[in-house]
Each structure stands twice: as structure tokens, then as C-alpha cells.
């Protein structure tokens, strides 16, 4: 940590402000910069109240900011994704020196990170893309961090990051050098894609339990059980689901826990807008990346589509009228509710596991394409605590044996080929199938759970109906096909088929018209 007794925090919103206080708590002097002086004043007030006297200061121009501490400087970005970061970088450049370090802790697109890294090469400024996870609470208490970029800069800042990052149950810091280039931001982007898949599955399970007749707090108690043991043990998203299920609006007459006050969850509208409003780009990017890299990500794709449909509440209200009330979920009747809830737990785990499998496949494909040399053991470590997708059972039982293997690389981390992972999928599959069947029967909203069932059928299937798909492609497009029995040893990269059949010979327009046949438009 020598040399970093003072840092700059540029962007002092909920994440940046929380991190500024976290650094101040660890005896670092923090120079703030934000277009809103009131935002900086609020951070300074919190620092003084916490006893971090004179450790946090505000600046209103780049020159005085950069003159406030010695070189090599460490400047931390906590900015919205996109052009804001470019503008800030250009404003800072005249005041920076060779070997200064910029640590971009925003949810930035990896391509923007790599473009800025190239921009910084000639002046000798080292630009690190660092994913930060855990939300604003973790930003204050210690987040999960995934830095990637210049190795010399990474080694220089790592001791500081290890001090402030979240600690796992063994006391180890959830931060590590992920790889070069934009690898750090890429891994965080995929983390968020996995997060969306998991959140969709958990909220669908919540909706199904509501239709089972379970009350809000009863569901919270069930989530607490899921989080305490079994395959969803130590799953952050399940644990906060258990917690929020009991939160009531405070009142003057009695405590917030009083049953006289309404549960907050009972007043929340079914509308997720972050993708539409531009607050969140990572879910969009992770799905775009999966498609561009030809990595099947059923659960992640449909979870994102679910969020998008959710956002357009007004459109859904109009369609509801058009469809005379739509297709509302019916109450679920089962002979053994406890057994069905256990099936639901297993089904939710299956979808969470599928989200991890799909996300890791996207990371591996990108690693091979970009040559980032990702350290997968470090990916495992940063997801151990302090992040939204923390899942202790998945981490210990599924990820650790694969990601921490001595010879692990991008071509060997495909979890769908791992026998231990397959065992859990086989165990959960009957429950997943029963839950999806009941959901279909009673019109439950369960897109992530349903598509996860399809995902497992497809990725382990060797007799898909795409036989007919391929035949039709060859019929109208001469796209070629392989015959049954042809070898297909290249698992990693499919190749074009070797055969074509002239299903219907092509004829000239004149010939077609002469025979009295109408050409397709």
C-alpha cells in the first residue's frame, strides 16, 4: 500500500461514495470529484460522522484534483458507462503523469475499456478495468472486485484492493488479477448476466409459491430454509429474498416489525426498467456477447427478455384488455405441498446452475477470442463473497474442482462436460420437469425455469428435431448437411456439412411461369 496514501474518487454516487468511505475507513486520504458539489458534501459529512476526520476532501477542477496528491497517482472511476468516461479521461489527461493508474470501477463495456487502455499507452498512463459487485451496501462494506489490464499496475494496486475487498469465509480477499485487456470488466459483465438468470428463476419460484397460497412472510421463511442448507446454501439472492419478505413500512405508533404496518413487498409493482432507462448495460451486453460468440445461453437470454417485457407495464395493460384479461396464473392445487415446494427448490437450483454454466461458457469463448489469459481460479475467488451471485454450494461443490484445477484453461472449463455437475443436473431434472409441467398446466409465469428444462434437453441431446431444420435449409438454400454416421470430432467449432441433395431443381423464371406456377414473392 506504500505510495497510495491518497487516491482520487471520480464519481461520488451510491457506489463511488460508498467506496470513498471504504477507502477512508482504511486510512486512505480521498480526493473527491463529482459534478455535483452537494453529492461530495454528503460524502464528506458521512466521513466526518464516521470519525474519518479530514480524510475526505472535494475538488471542483481536474488540475487541483491531480495536484492534491503525489505521483504515481491512483484515480478511481465510478462513472456511468459510455461517453462520460471518455470525457473525464480527456479532461484529466493534461494533468496526469507517466505511470499514473486509472482504476475504472464502473460497469463499463469491455470494448470501451480496451479503447481507453490504448488511448493511455502513449502518455504512459495505466488504465485498469475493474468490475465491482455487491451493490451499494458492498461498496461501503467491501465489494467483490475483478481488475484486468496492465500487469505492473495490477500488482501495484493489488495490496490496497485486497485490504478493502470483501472477505470470504476463510478470510481471503475476493479480488484477484483476472487477466489482461478488458478481462476484468468482461467477467463482471457476465457475472451480471448470470445474476439476471438467477434472479428470474428465484422470482418465478416466489410467484409459484404465491399461487400455492403461501403468504409473503411464509415464503421468506422458506427462502431462509433454502439458504441454510442444500444446493442453494449461502446463495445471496435467496438470502436477501428471505430478508425482504419480512420488511414493513415504519410507522409512528410502533416498530417497523409491527404487523400493523404493510409489508413493503406487497406494494411493489411488477416492473423492472433498468435495461430500458440505461442504468444497466451489462445484461444487454452479456446476451449480445453470447449470441455473437455462438454460445447457447437459454436461461440468460429468456431472463433478459422477461425483464424487458416487465418494463413495458403500460403495453402489458393494453394487451391485457385486448386479450380480455390475458392468461392469469391459477391457484395451484397439489396433494403434498411440502414435496412440491422441495421440487421447486430443486428446480430453482437447476436454473441457477444453468445460469453459471452458460455464463462460464461465454467467458471461455471470449477468452479464446481475445487472448486475455484469464485466471479462472481468481474468477472463482472473486465470486466467493461480496458479489450478487455468491452461492456457497455452487462455489464449493461445482466451480472449485473445475476452476481451480492446475491445468484449467478456456477450453477445459465447460461445466456441462463435468461429471460432478452432470450428477446434480440429473438429480434436479425430475423436479424441474414436474414444476414446469405444473406451471404449464396452471399458467404460471416461469420463463427461466421452463427454458432451463429445454436447455438441459438440448445440450445433452443427440437426436434433435433440427434434422428437419437442416433439411429445409438445404432445400431452399443449398446449405449442405452431414449424414448420420459422419464423424463430428470437432466439438469446439462446427464445420459445414459435406452433402447436398437437389430436393427441387432450380428453374428459370420463364420456365416457372410457362408451367403456370406462381413464384414466391
Amino acid at each position: 500500500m506504500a505510495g497510495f496514501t491518497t487516491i482520487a474518487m471520480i464519481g461520488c454516487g451510491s457506489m463511488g461514495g460508498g467506496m470513498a468511505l471504504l477507502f477512508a475507513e482504511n486510512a486512505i486520504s480521498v480526493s473527491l470529484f463529482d459534478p455535483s458539489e452537494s453529492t461530495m458534501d454528503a460524502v464528506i459529512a458521512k466521513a466526518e460522522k464516521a470519525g474519518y476526520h479530514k480524510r475526505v476532501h472535494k475538488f471542483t477542477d481536474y488540475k487541483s484534483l491531480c495536484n492534491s496528491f503525489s505521483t504515481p497517482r491512483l484515480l478511481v472511476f465510478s462513472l456511468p458507462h459510455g461517453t462520460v468516461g471518455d470525457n473525464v479521461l480527456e479532461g484529466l489527461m493534461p494533468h496526469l503523469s507517466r505511470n499514473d493508474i486509472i482504476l475504472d470501477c464502473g460497469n463499463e463495456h469491455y470494448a470501451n475499456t480496451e479503447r481507453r487502455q490504448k488511448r493511455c499507452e502513449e502518455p504512459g498512463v495505466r488504465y485498469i478495468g475493474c468490475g465491482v459487485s455487491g451493490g451499494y451496501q458492498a461498496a461501503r462494506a467491501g465489494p467483490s472486485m475483478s481488475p484486468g489490464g496492465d500487469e505492473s499496475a495490477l500488482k501495484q494496486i493489488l495490496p490496497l484492493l485486497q485490504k478493502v475487498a470483501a472477505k470470504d469465509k476463510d478470510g481471503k480477499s475476493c479480488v484477484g488479477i483476472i487477466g489482461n485487456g478488458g478481462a476484468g470488466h468482461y467477467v463482471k459483465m457476465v457475472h451480471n448476466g448470470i445474476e439476471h438468470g438467477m434472479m428470474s428463476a428465484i422470482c418465478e419460484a416466489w410467484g409459484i409459491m404465491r399461487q400455492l397460497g403461501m403468504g409473503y412472510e411464509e415464503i421468506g421463511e422458506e427462502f431462509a430454509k433454502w439458504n441454510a442448507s442444500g444446493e442453494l446454501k449461502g446463495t445471496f439472492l435467496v438470502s436477501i429474498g428471505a430478508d425482504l419478505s419480512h420488511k414493513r413500512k415504519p410507522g409512528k405508533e410502533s416498530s417497523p416489525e409491527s404487523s400493523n404496518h404493510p409489508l413493503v413487498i406487497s406494494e411493489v409493482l411488477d416492473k423492472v426498467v433498468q435495461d430500458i432507462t440505461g442504468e444497466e448495460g451489462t445484461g444487454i451486453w452479456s446476451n449480445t456477447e453470447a449470441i455473437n460468440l455462438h454460445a447457447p445461453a437459454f436461461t440468460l437470454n429468456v431472463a433478459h427478455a422477461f425483464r424487458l417485457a416487465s418494463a413495458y407495464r403500460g403495453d402489458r395493460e393494453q394487451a391485457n384488455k385486448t386479450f380480455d384479461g390475458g392468461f392469469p396464473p391459477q391457484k395451484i392445487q397439489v396433494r403434498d405441498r411440502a414435496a412440491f415446494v422441495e421440487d421447486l427448490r430443486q428446480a430453482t437450483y437447476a436454473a441457477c446452475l444453468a445460469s453459471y454454466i452458460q455464463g462460464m461458457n461465454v467467458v471461455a469463448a471470449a477468452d479464446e477470442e481475445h487472448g486475455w489469459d484469464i485466471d479462472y481460479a481468481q474468477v472463482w475467488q472473486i465470486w466467493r463473497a461480496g458479489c450478487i451471485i455468491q452461492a456457497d454450494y455452487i462455489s464449493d461443490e461445482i466451480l472449485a474442482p473445475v476452476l481451480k484445477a492446475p491445468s484449467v484453461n478456456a477450453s477445459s472449463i465447460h461445466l456441462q462436460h463435468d461429471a460432478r455437475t452432470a450428477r446434480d443436473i440429473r438429480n434436479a431434472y425430475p423436479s424441474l420437469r414436474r414444476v414446469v409441467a405444473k406451471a404449464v398446466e396452471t399458467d404460471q409465469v416461469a420463463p427461466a425455469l421452463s427454458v432451463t428444462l429445454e436447455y438441459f434437453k438440448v445440450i445433452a441431446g443427440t437426436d434433435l428435431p433440427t434434422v428437419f431444420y437442416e433439411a429445409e435449409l438445404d432445400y431452399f438454400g443449398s446449405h449442405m448437411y452431414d449424414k448420420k454416421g459422419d464423424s463430428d470430432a470437432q466439438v469446439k467449432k462446427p464445420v459445414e456439412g459435406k452433402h447436398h441433395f437437389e430436393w427441387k431443381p432450380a428453374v428459370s423464371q420463364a420456365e416457372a411461369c410457362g408451367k403456370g406456377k406462381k413464384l414466391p414473392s
Side-chain angles (χ1 to χ4, degrees), residues 153-168:
L154 288 166
K155 290 181 176 179
Q156 195 170 349
I157 65 174
L158 192 58
L160 173 59
L161 300 187
Q162 287 172 332
K163 187 168 183 64
V164 300
K167 306 300 185 288
D168 67 15

Side-chain angles (χ1 to χ4, degrees), residues 9-20:
M9 176 60 67
I10 302 177
C12 303
S14 59
M15 291 294 290
M19 291 182 69

Side-chain angles (χ1 to χ4, degrees), residues 431-478:
S431 292
L432 178 62
R433 184 171 53 197
R434 284 191 291 268
V435 167
V436 171
K438 181 60 72 173
V440 171
E441 178 188 339
T442 58
D443 292 324
Q444 306 305 315
V445 177
L449 295 174
S450 300
V451 81
T452 296
L453 181 68
E454 299 304 318
Y455 173 71
F456 289 139
K457 288 191 286 186
V458 169
I459 63 167
T462 57
D463 188 18
L464 303 179
T466 48
V467 167
F468 195 74
Y469 203 134
E470 182 79 331
E472 289 208 321
L473 284 168
D474 189 56
Y475 185 106
F476 69 76
S478 186

Side-chain angles (χ1 to χ4, degrees), residues 334-393:
V334 292
R335 292 183 179 179
D336 187 337
R337 194 176 82 165
F340 184 77
V341 170
E342 169 59 16
D343 277 344
L344 189 57
R345 184 188 70 84
Q346 287 280 358
T348 304
Y349 167 64
C352 290
L353 181 54
S355 299
Y356 265 97
I357 294 170
Q358 294 161 26
M360 287 309 305
N361 286 346
V362 173
V363 171
D367 189 14
E368 289 192 295
E369 179 165 298
H370 296 282
W372 285 327
D373 195 22
I374 288 176
D375 186 333
Y376 292 98
Q378 294 300 335
V379 174
W380 174 80
Q381 180 61 36
I382 65 167
W383 289 348
R384 293 270 284 160
C387 71
I388 304 300
I389 65 171
Q390 178 183 343
D392 292 350
Y393 175 91

Side-chain angles (χ1 to χ4, degrees), residues 235-379:
T235 298
F236 174 79
L237 287 166
V238 174
S239 72
I240 66 170
D243 186 37
L244 69 82
S245 296
H246 300 285
K247 299 298 182 181
R248 296 180 181 273
K249 296 183 72 172
K252 296 180 181 179
E253 301 82 8
S254 55
S255 68
E257 290 74 24
S258 171
S259 59
N260 294 326
H261 302 300
L263 290 159
V264 179
I265 184 64
S266 69
E267 299 180 347
V268 177
L269 191 64
D270 62 341
K271 188 176 71 169
V272 179
V273 301
Q274 285 74 17
D275 304 294
I276 309 297
T277 58
E279 299 169 56
E280 179 65 80
T282 49
I284 299 169
W285 305 332
S286 55
N287 279 283
T288 303
E289 282 293 301
I291 292 167
N292 287 339
L293 293 168
H294 317 298
F298 291 28
T299 311
L300 308 191
N301 297 160
V302 81
H304 183 66
F306 189 21
R307 283 164 61 104
L308 295 180
S310 165
Y312 290 98
R313 170 78 190 193
D315 185 72
R316 288 187 286 116
E317 288 174 346
Q318 184 176 343
N320 183 270
K321 293 176 182 177
T322 304
F323 281 88
D324 295 324
F327 312 98
Q330 305 161 33
K331 293 296 180 183
I332 298 175
Q333 302 293 331
V334 292
R335 292 183 179 179
D336 187 337
R337 194 176 82 165
F340 184 77
V341 170
E342 169 59 16
D343 277 344
L344 189 57
R345 184 188 70 84
Q346 287 280 358
T348 304
Y349 167 64
C352 290
L353 181 54
S355 299
Y356 265 97
I357 294 170
Q358 294 161 26
M360 287 309 305
N361 286 346
V362 173
V363 171
D367 189 14
E368 289 192 295
E369 179 165 298
H370 296 282
W372 285 327
D373 195 22
I374 288 176
D375 186 333
Y376 292 98
Q378 294 300 335
V379 174

Side-chain angles (χ1 to χ4, degrees), residues 121-140:
E121 282 179 3
E122 192 279 327
V125 174
R126 295 170 291 171
Y127 195 102
I128 301 299
C130 180
V132 174
S133 180
Y136 72 92
Q137 295 102 334
R140 180 64 186 89

Side-chain angles (χ1 to χ4, degrees), residues 452-515:
T452 296
L453 181 68
E454 299 304 318
Y455 173 71
F456 289 139
K457 288 191 286 186
V458 169
I459 63 167
T462 57
D463 188 18
L464 303 179
T466 48
V467 167
F468 195 74
Y469 203 134
E470 182 79 331
E472 289 208 321
L473 284 168
D474 189 56
Y475 185 106
F476 69 76
S478 186
H479 286 294
M480 311 293 285
Y481 61 90
D482 280 327
K483 292 181 179 179
K484 293 177 179 178
D486 287 349
S487 66
D488 194 16
Q490 294 195 30
V491 174
K492 286 181 61 177
K493 188 173 181 180
V495 296
E496 186 181 49
K498 298 175 284 294
H499 308 282
H500 167 67
F501 180 74
E502 197 71 0
W503 306 86
K504 179 182 179 182
V507 297
S508 69
Q509 185 177 35
E511 289 176 309
C513 291
K515 294 178 180 178

